[in-house]
Amino acid sequence: MSMHSARAPADAHGAALPGAVRVTAMTRIGLVVTDPATFTAADPHLDAVPLLEALRRRGAEAELTVWHDPAVDWAAFDLLVIRSPWDYAERPARFEEWLDRVGTLTRVLNEPEMVRWNMDKSYLAQLEEAGVAVVPTSYHLEMPTLEAALATEGSSTPHVVVKPTVGAGARHTGLFARDSPAALELGRAILTEGGVVMLQPEVPELSEGREKALYVVDGEVTHAIAKGALLERGGGLRGGVYRESPVVLRATAREEAFAGQVLEAVCEVTGLPAPLYSRIDTVDSAEHGLVLLEAELFEPLFNLQLVPEVTEIFADAILTRA
């Protein structure tokens, strides 16, 4: 499964676009999504469709593929690029089985080994051990340790975030007063489902909507986005539903360097090459400094509708790896 490429024109209207990679031998690429008819929390095609069109303009035979569709012949693809399988958290074991299977049939990016590692947010502890500054986090496998952590006297943070290590879209995630019974109730619900509870202090800057996501393609920061505050104190989401309010921002040199440090640590910890794409979620806080919230390595929304030029960069990067 190989691809021959050359520099050729291609913009959104088929006009000249200097520097674009064009396929000169047909390459079949699947962009892995989920079914919007069964996953209604967000549109899994938002990024995928512009990327699909950019790949086709470059001569690739590209299509959207639903990861749990039994009719898909995965071996028929030269490359699969995981983009928005956002219901994976509802059936993680099935998703891991899918990763194992397709990884033997064709090339998958980002690599299945990295995806499996990234599915469980306890990877933050490994990155912290590798020298990355992360938001302070404790992990709990049983209620007594969670109860003790919530009851810690002298804490400077009256509010805490409770969430599972495996999850997406803020499912089972809440912001509570440290002594709220609802914090324990959510923790108990996560444990009852067989999950692990993450406990983090509220970071005021996050509640003010100052989280910044840094997007990286082939090792280069392409853009940054603030998506606004999501959690309501007392539990639940602001407005009652998961709704990001993305605004394009400029990344500072310090933030870009931090993103680079995170990805170097990812490679060090996993022993894998640098990912094709990633989103590094950060916040610059008064108490903790610039810290990592999450490193999204297999299903980050890139908000390509806001940065169409990044669609072209992303498509070229995919084809150079096909």
Side-chain angles (χ1 to χ4, degrees):
M1 296 182 180
S2 62
M3 180 202 77
H4 304 287
S5 62
R7 295 293 174 179
D11 72 0
H13 307 287
L17 189 80
V21 174
R22 180 174 289 280
V23 179
T24 57
M26 184 59 73
T27 301
R28 193 173 184 203
I29 297 173
L31 299 181
V32 179
V33 298
T34 193
D35 185 353
T38 58
F39 184 81
T40 58
D43 182 2
H45 293 173
L46 189 62
D47 277 347
V49 169
L51 194 54
L52 177 78
E53 294 170 347
L55 290 167
R56 288 175 174 173
R57 289 195 299 272
R58 286 157 171 76
E61 182 184 349
E63 60 186 270
L64 304 184
T65 56
V66 174
W67 70 271
H68 49 78
D69 183 351
V72 177
D73 179 7
W74 301 106
F77 291 92
D78 296 290
L79 175 66
L80 296 174
V81 180
I82 302 174
R83 286 306 304 120
S84 48
W86 291 334
D87 54 351
Y88 80 92
E90 298 171 4
R91 36 190 161 177
R94 182 175 175 185
F95 185 63
E96 289 198 61
E97 290 171 0
W98 176 82
L99 286 170
D100 290 339
R101 180 161 50 89
V102 298
T104 67
L105 299 174
T106 188
R107 189 175 185 202
V108 183
L109 294 176
N110 288 324
E111 285 80 359
E113 295 88 348
M114 183 170 286
V115 173
R116 278 192 291 269
W117 176 81
N118 194 228
M119 283 174 61
D120 190 318
K121 293 180 181 64
S122 60
Y123 69 76
L124 288 170
Q126 294 178 274
L127 294 181
E128 185 175 28
E129 290 178 2
V132 174
V134 306
V135 63
T137 306
S138 60
Y139 302 88
H140 304 276
L141 297 169
E142 54 188 20
M143 286 301 296
T145 66
L146 178 61
E147 292 169 350
L150 286 168
T152 299
E153 295 183 5
S155 172
S156 61
T157 308
H159 290 83
V160 293
V161 173
V162 178
K163 59 184 178 181
T165 59
V166 178
R171 180 176 181 268
H172 277 350
T173 299
L175 173 61
F176 306 100
R178 181 176 287 273
D179 59 356
S180 169
L184 283 174
E185 290 172 10
L186 180 56
R188 184 175 288 106
I190 293 169
L191 293 174
T192 299
E193 290 188 4
V196 177
V197 178
M198 300 174 67
L199 184 65
Q200 298 173 328
E202 179 188 24
V203 178
E205 290 82 359
L206 287 179
S207 297
E208 295 165 6
R210 289 162 58 185
E211 176 180 347
K212 185 182 279 191
L214 309 176
Y215 295 82
V216 183
V217 175
D218 247 359
E220 298 294 329
V221 175
T222 57
H223 62 297
I225 281 180
K227 59 185 178 183
L230 297 173
L231 301 180
E232 189 74 64
R233 279 186 175 177
L237 298 166
R238 296 192 180 190
V241 295
Y242 185 90
R243 181 179 294 113
E244 297 183 0
S245 303
V247 177
V248 179
L249 303 173
R250 292 189 62 180
T252 66
R254 174 170 168 252
E255 289 165 341
E256 291 191 7
F258 182 72
Q261 179 197 1
V262 171
L263 290 174
E264 286 178 4
V266 166
C267 295
E268 175 187 331
V269 168
T270 64
L272 296 168
L276 166 66
Y277 62 87
S278 61
R279 188 187 77 200
I280 308 303
D281 294 341
T282 70
V283 66
D284 198 353
S285 66
E287 183 173 356
H288 311 293
L290 180 61
V291 293
L292 175 68
L293 302 173
E294 291 185 25
E296 295 278 5
L297 303 177
F298 70 98
E299 39 84 43
L301 179 65
F302 262 60
N303 288 288
L304 293 177
Q305 78 281 7
L306 302 180
V307 284
E309 67 280 6
V310 176
T311 305
E312 309 301 329
I313 294 170
F314 205 162
D316 283 345
I318 289 170
L319 291 181
T320 58
R321 293 208 186 191

